[in-house]
Amino acid sequence: MKQKVSIVVLYEGGRDYQFLKSYLAKRGYNSHKIRFEQCARSSGGSGEKRVRDVYPVQVRDIRRYKTQNCSSTRWLLVHIDADTLTVDERLRQLNAPLGSEAVNVDDPVCVVIPKRNTETWVYHLVNDGTPVSEEDDYKIRVTDDQVRDAGRRLGSLSDQATVNCPPSLRRSIAELERIPG
C-alpha cells in the first residue's frame, strides 16, 4: 500500500523537515513519493503564516487529486506549531479560509500540531518520556541530531508508550495513523 501513497508535506522550518523526514523513513515511506514544501522565512514573514496561507490551496489540490485518481492515494501532511495558541485554536485558524469546506475525516489530510513547538516533542521523545510542559520553549535544549532521532522514535512508538506523551503529541499520533501504510 505504501508504494501507492504519495505525501505532500507542509512544514515551517528545518527542524520540522528533519523530524518528519526521519519519521516517514522509519514508517517505510519511499522518499521519492514525498514532496516537502518548506514554508520558512526565506519567502518573507513567518513560516507559520506561510503554512496558513498555503494550506487552503493544498487542501483544494488534494481534494481535486482524490476525485481524479482512484488508483493511487495522495495525502497532505501539515506540520505547524501551536506556539502560544491551543491546538484547537491553531486548527480553527488553519481551516478558517476554507469556510464551509473545512477539512473533515474523509479528506486525505493529516494535521499535526505540536504545542508549543516541535522541540517540545523532541525533548520528550529523546529523554525516554520525560514529562514536558507544553507552555515552555525547548528550542535551545535539543540538538539537530536529537530532532532526527526523535522522528525515528515517533515512527516506532507503540500505543502503550503514548500514555505519558504530551496531549498534542498523543493527538497527533492518532492523526498520523490515518495515513495508509
Side-chain angles (χ1 to χ4, degrees), residues 60-107:
R60 289 181 183 109
D61 260 7
I62 221 81
R63 286 175 173 160
R64 194 171 22 257
Y65 183 87
K66 180 181 174 184
T67 60
Q68 295 171 354
N69 299 284
C70 55
S71 63
S72 65
T73 303
R74 179 177 292 167
W75 275 78
L76 175 62
L77 170 55
V78 180
H79 184 283
I80 185 170
D81 294 340
D83 296 320
T84 57
L85 300 176
T86 67
V87 171
D88 287 333
E89 288 169 334
R90 180 64 81 202
L91 191 56
R92 279 193 297 277
Q93 193 179 47
L94 272 175
N95 278 313
L98 292 166
S100 64
E101 296 177 338
V103 170
N104 62 58
V105 294
D106 295 329
D107 288 315

XYZ file of all heavy atoms in Angstrom, residues 60-107:
389
model
N -7.349 22.079 -1.397
C -8.145 22.011 -2.637
C -7.459 21.126 -3.672
O -8.119 20.358 -4.377
C -8.396 23.417 -3.161
C -9.374 24.187 -2.286
C -9.664 25.592 -2.813
N -10.546 26.278 -1.890
C -10.172 27.294 -1.107
N -8.931 27.750 -1.148
N -11.040 27.864 -0.286
N -6.132 21.218 -3.768
C -5.368 20.369 -4.682
C -5.535 18.890 -4.342
O -5.731 18.063 -5.222
C -3.873 20.707 -4.590
C -3.398 21.582 -5.706
O -4.235 22.055 -6.492
O -2.167 21.797 -5.782
N -5.441 18.576 -3.077
C -5.507 17.185 -2.638
C -6.910 16.620 -2.893
O -7.064 15.466 -3.284
C -5.062 17.052 -1.160
C -4.190 15.802 -0.960
C -6.195 16.947 -0.182
C -2.792 15.939 -1.334
N -7.911 17.446 -2.706
C -9.295 17.013 -2.990
C -9.496 16.781 -4.487
O -10.142 15.819 -4.893
C -10.288 18.040 -2.472
C -10.423 18.014 -0.969
C -11.323 19.121 -0.492
N -11.585 18.987 0.928
C -12.007 19.985 1.686
N -12.227 21.180 1.165
N -12.228 19.793 2.976
N -8.958 17.677 -5.294
C -9.061 17.536 -6.747
C -8.349 16.254 -7.193
O -8.873 15.490 -7.999
C -8.459 18.774 -7.418
C -8.780 18.918 -8.864
C -8.371 20.262 -9.488
N -7.339 21.008 -8.803
C -7.559 22.088 -8.029
N -8.782 22.532 -7.828
N -6.553 22.717 -7.461
N -7.181 15.997 -6.651
C -6.427 14.785 -6.974
C -7.230 13.546 -6.583
O -7.279 12.570 -7.334
C -5.075 14.793 -6.255
C -4.212 13.612 -6.598
C -3.368 13.642 -7.697
C -4.245 12.444 -5.831
C -2.571 12.556 -8.029
C -3.462 11.357 -6.159
C -2.630 11.423 -7.256
O -1.859 10.343 -7.582
N -7.852 13.598 -5.418
C -8.623 12.451 -4.923
C -9.757 12.091 -5.884
O -10.020 10.917 -6.129
C -9.187 12.765 -3.533
C -9.993 11.658 -2.916
C -10.524 12.078 -1.559
C -11.458 11.039 -0.989
N -12.043 11.467 0.275
N -10.432 13.078 -6.447
C -11.553 12.802 -7.344
C -11.098 12.335 -8.724
O -11.829 11.656 -9.424
C -12.464 14.036 -7.508
O -11.698 15.109 -8.046
C -13.083 14.440 -6.198
N -9.870 12.659 -9.113
C -9.379 12.306 -10.444
C -8.574 11.017 -10.492
O -8.416 10.436 -11.558
C -8.509 13.442 -10.994
C -9.281 14.712 -11.225
C -8.376 15.890 -11.572
O -7.170 15.782 -11.525
N -8.993 17.008 -11.911
N -8.040 10.573 -9.375
C -7.141 9.415 -9.360
C -7.574 8.398 -8.320
O -7.334 8.581 -7.141
C -5.708 9.859 -9.034
C -5.174 10.814 -10.066
O -4.820 10.394 -11.148
N -5.156 12.095 -9.729
N -8.178 7.318 -8.782
C -8.623 6.312 -7.825
C -7.599 5.187 -7.648
O -7.731 4.373 -6.750
C -9.979 5.747 -8.226
S -10.026 5.091 -9.896
N -6.555 5.150 -8.482
C -5.594 4.052 -8.374
C -4.466 4.331 -7.390
O -3.749 3.435 -7.005
C -4.996 3.743 -9.750
O -4.270 4.866 -10.208
N -4.297 5.581 -6.989
C -3.269 5.904 -6.010
C -3.824 6.922 -5.022
O -4.844 7.556 -5.268
C -2.008 6.441 -6.689
O -2.283 7.660 -7.326
N -3.128 7.055 -3.929
C -3.577 7.937 -2.872
C -2.535 9.006 -2.615
O -1.357 8.702 -2.483
C -3.814 7.132 -1.570
O -4.757 6.104 -1.844
C -4.342 8.021 -0.468
N -2.969 10.231 -2.547
C -2.080 11.329 -2.174
C -2.612 11.921 -0.873
O -3.796 12.159 -0.727
C -2.038 12.403 -3.254
C -1.119 13.560 -2.859
C -0.998 14.601 -3.925
N -0.274 14.039 -5.058
C -0.216 14.611 -6.255
N -0.843 15.733 -6.481
N 0.452 14.044 -7.236
N -1.690 12.131 0.042
C -2.025 12.721 1.337
C -1.317 14.054 1.503
O -0.216 14.250 0.992
C -1.603 11.781 2.470
C -2.639 10.752 2.756
C -2.899 9.620 2.039
C -3.578 10.765 3.823
N -3.934 8.933 2.595
C -4.369 9.614 3.699
C -3.818 11.639 4.883
C -5.395 9.309 4.582
C -4.840 11.331 5.770
C -5.615 10.185 5.617
N -1.947 14.920 2.225
C -1.342 16.174 2.644
C -1.031 16.037 4.123
O -1.928 15.773 4.926
C -2.295 17.347 2.404
C -1.831 18.719 2.904
C -0.544 19.145 2.196
C -2.933 19.757 2.700
N 0.238 16.181 4.474
C 0.675 16.149 5.868
C 1.118 17.565 6.226
O 2.038 18.100 5.612
C 1.816 15.150 6.051
C 2.551 15.148 7.396
C 1.605 14.955 8.569
C 3.639 14.082 7.397
N 0.433 18.159 7.188
C 0.717 19.536 7.589
C 1.266 19.532 9.004
O 0.675 18.938 9.901
C -0.566 20.401 7.523
C -0.273 21.836 7.930
C -1.189 20.340 6.142
N 2.392 20.201 9.165
C 3.036 20.315 10.476
C 3.190 21.800 10.778
O 3.898 22.513 10.074
C 4.400 19.630 10.425
C 5.118 19.604 11.729
N 5.756 20.704 12.241
C 5.296 18.611 12.626
C 6.306 20.383 13.395
N 6.042 19.118 13.649
N 2.483 22.267 11.804
C 2.536 23.668 12.186
C 2.500 23.753 13.705
O 1.720 23.055 14.353
C 1.372 24.472 11.543
C 1.477 25.969 11.844
C 0.026 23.906 11.944
C 0.500 26.827 11.048
N 3.370 24.579 14.268
C 3.420 24.725 15.721
C 2.204 25.495 16.225
O 1.738 26.434 15.573
C 4.680 25.482 16.154
C 5.971 24.723 15.865
O 5.908 23.496 15.693
O 7.020 25.371 15.816
N 1.722 25.111 17.401
C 0.648 25.861 18.037
C 1.191 27.156 18.631
O 0.451 28.129 18.784
C -0.017 25.026 19.133
N 2.481 27.155 18.975
C 3.103 28.306 19.641
C 2.323 28.607 20.920
O 2.148 27.712 21.728
C 3.211 29.510 18.707
C 4.135 29.240 17.520
O 5.186 28.602 17.735
O 3.804 29.645 16.399
N 1.825 29.811 21.078
C 1.117 30.171 22.318
C -0.391 29.949 22.227
O -1.103 30.183 23.200
C 1.399 31.645 22.694
O 1.013 32.483 21.615
C 2.894 31.835 23.006
N -0.872 29.485 21.073
C -2.288 29.143 20.928
C -2.524 27.722 21.439
O -1.578 26.969 21.648
C -2.710 29.214 19.455
C -2.565 30.546 18.725
C -2.937 30.371 17.258
C -3.420 31.604 19.378
N -3.777 27.340 21.562
C -4.083 25.939 21.821
C -4.060 25.204 20.479
O -4.112 25.840 19.416
C -5.466 25.748 22.473
O -6.470 26.118 21.516
C -5.605 26.553 23.755
N -4.008 23.897 20.517
C -4.038 23.106 19.291
C -5.348 23.356 18.546
O -5.361 23.535 17.324
C -3.832 21.605 19.603
C -4.066 20.751 18.368
C -2.438 21.372 20.173
N -6.459 23.395 19.269
C -7.754 23.652 18.626
C -7.816 25.037 17.994
O -8.381 25.197 16.905
C -8.898 23.483 19.625
C -9.158 22.027 19.969
O -8.861 21.150 19.125
O -9.663 21.753 21.070
N -7.241 26.030 18.653
C -7.225 27.382 18.085
C -6.421 27.408 16.782
O -6.837 28.020 15.798
C -6.636 28.390 19.075
C -7.557 28.699 20.236
C -6.880 29.482 21.349
O -5.629 29.392 21.511
O -7.599 30.188 22.085
N -5.264 26.748 16.774
C -4.445 26.719 15.560
C -5.180 25.981 14.448
O -5.161 26.405 13.290
C -3.089 26.067 15.834
C -2.181 26.006 14.639
C -1.757 27.373 14.125
N -0.673 27.869 14.937
C -0.344 29.144 15.049
N -0.998 30.061 14.383
N 0.650 29.510 15.827
N -5.852 24.889 14.772
C -6.603 24.129 13.771
C -7.742 24.971 13.196
O -7.961 24.988 11.981
C -7.132 22.830 14.390
C -7.706 21.802 13.439
C -6.698 21.419 12.355
C -8.146 20.570 14.217
N -8.463 25.690 14.044
C -9.528 26.590 13.562
C -8.943 27.669 12.652
O -9.523 28.009 11.625
C -10.282 27.228 14.727
C -11.345 26.331 15.322
C -12.281 27.076 16.258
N -11.619 27.626 17.420
C -11.335 26.954 18.535
N -11.673 25.685 18.633
N -10.742 27.540 19.546
N -7.786 28.188 13.034
C -7.116 29.215 12.246
C -6.741 28.671 10.852
O -6.899 29.366 9.851
C -5.874 29.673 13.008
C -5.242 30.924 12.512
C -4.025 31.291 13.351
O -3.179 30.438 13.643
N -3.941 32.555 13.730
N -6.265 27.442 10.807
C -5.933 26.812 9.526
C -7.165 26.644 8.642
O -7.132 26.904 7.442
C -5.325 25.428 9.750
C -3.834 25.296 9.942
C -3.476 23.862 10.274
C -3.063 25.771 8.735
N -8.255 26.180 9.241
C -9.455 25.861 8.478
C -10.329 27.069 8.141
O -11.169 26.983 7.247
C -10.290 24.810 9.219
C -9.774 23.414 8.979
O -9.502 23.037 7.843
N -9.605 22.655 10.041
N -10.137 28.189 8.822
C -10.985 29.370 8.618
C -11.093 29.790 7.145
O -12.205 30.045 6.663
C -10.513 30.529 9.492
N -9.999 29.846 6.392
C -10.119 30.266 4.988
C -10.932 29.307 4.120
O -11.411 29.682 3.052
C -8.669 30.318 4.486
C -7.821 30.378 5.693
C -8.580 29.688 6.780
N -11.106 28.085 4.578
C -11.878 27.098 3.812
C -13.375 27.213 4.067
O -14.176 26.627 3.331
C -11.397 25.680 4.138
C -9.990 25.340 3.654
C -9.496 24.062 4.306
C -9.954 25.242 2.142
N -13.753 27.959 5.103
C -15.166 28.157 5.418
C -15.907 26.848 5.586
O -15.490 25.973 6.329
N -17.006 26.706 4.850
C -17.838 25.503 4.962
C -17.154 24.273 4.387
O -17.638 23.152 4.568
C -19.187 25.729 4.270
O -18.982 25.937 2.883
N -16.037 24.462 3.699
C -15.303 23.341 3.127
C -14.128 22.926 4.007
O -13.129 22.374 3.527
C -14.800 23.708 1.732
C -15.908 23.969 0.750
C -15.374 24.394 -0.603
O -14.222 24.875 -0.688
O -16.115 24.235 -1.571
N -14.229 23.181 5.305
C -13.159 22.828 6.239
C -12.843 21.336 6.145
O -13.704 20.521 5.801
C -13.546 23.195 7.666
N -11.625 20.990 6.449
C -11.162 19.608 6.381
C -11.958 18.736 7.347
O -12.257 19.140 8.473
C -9.654 19.538 6.702
C -9.179 18.118 6.894
C -8.866 20.230 5.605
N -12.310 17.543 6.889
C -13.005 16.577 7.745
C -12.288 15.232 7.656
O -11.323 15.090 6.913
C -14.487 16.469 7.356
C -14.669 15.972 5.941
O -14.205 14.886 5.592
N -15.323 16.754 5.100
N -12.762 14.249 8.392
C -12.065 12.952 8.476
C -12.046 12.187 7.158
O -11.245 11.261 7.003
C -12.658 12.052 9.592
C -12.416 12.659 10.953
C -14.117 11.773 9.345
N -12.886 12.552 6.196
C -12.883 11.882 4.898
C -11.790 12.406 3.972
O -11.495 11.786 2.955
C -14.238 12.049 4.206
C -15.356 11.352 4.962
O -15.082 10.321 5.619
O -16.495 11.844 4.915
N -11.213 13.528 4.309
C -10.166 14.111 3.481
C -8.825 13.446 3.768
O -8.509 13.153 4.921
C -10.029 15.608 3.763
C -11.194 16.416 3.224
O -11.595 16.182 2.069
O -11.703 17.293 3.958
